[in-house]
Structures are given as structure tokens and as C-alpha cells.
Amino acid sequence: MPIVFLCIDPLTNGGNCPALFVDPTSGDLLFQGDEETDAETRAQTARHSPMGERETMVRIPARMRKLILEALSAAENGDLVR
């Protein structure tokens, strides 16, 4: 089953946008966004959860919180955008 789009940053200009997707087979979430490269931020988060060799951290703008919650709620109810 293909990956399903859930939402995108409302201030997007059409490319390289923060977005949220779901894998309907596994339920896994996929976040698209800018990689967090700030060394201090990464050091702070590593104190709680060290980064695995294949992992990265993605920063999603706060303005997307409501959209992400709404999209996740819709996905839970089976209202996926296809």
C-alpha cells in the first residue's frame, strides 16, 4: 500500500516543505523537514536519546502542531487523504 500524505506546512512555497505522511501498512509516521544541525540542540536531545547511526533529527515548525494533531486524528478515524 502506498505512503499516505497527511499534512504540509501552511506557509510552504511548494518545495522542500515540512510535511507528515503515514505508512498505512505499519502505521509508522514519516516526517519531512529540515535536518536539525545545531550542535547544542543535538547534544541536549542526546542526553535523553542518543542518535543511532542511521537516525537524524527533523525540526518541524510549531505552526504545524495543530495540523499534525488534526491529521493524526483523521488518520485514526480512517479519513486518509489518498
Side-chain angles (χ1 to χ4, degrees), residues 1-80:
M1 191 174 280
I3 299 300
V4 177
F5 167 80
L6 293 180
C7 66
I8 195 166
D9 184 347
L11 298 182
T12 183
N13 62 3
N16 302 319
C17 321
L20 175 63
F21 303 85
V22 66
D23 179 334
T25 303
S26 65
D28 291 349
L29 300 174
L30 303 156
F31 285 87
Q32 174 187 347
D34 291 332
E35 181 179 3
E36 180 57 63
T37 58
D38 179 71
E40 180 56 28
T41 299
R42 291 179 70 103
Q44 287 179 36
T45 60
R47 290 184 199 121
H48 300 279
S49 179
M51 226 28 104
E53 189 174 306
R54 294 181 36 212
E55 294 180 326
T56 191
M57 182 176 298
V58 176
R59 183 176 288 268
I60 302 296
R63 64 181 168 264
M64 289 189 66
R65 287 179 183 175
K66 183 177 179 193
L67 286 173
I68 291 168
L69 290 172
E70 290 170 355
L72 291 172
S73 178
E76 286 291 318
N77 293 325
D79 301 328
L80 297 176

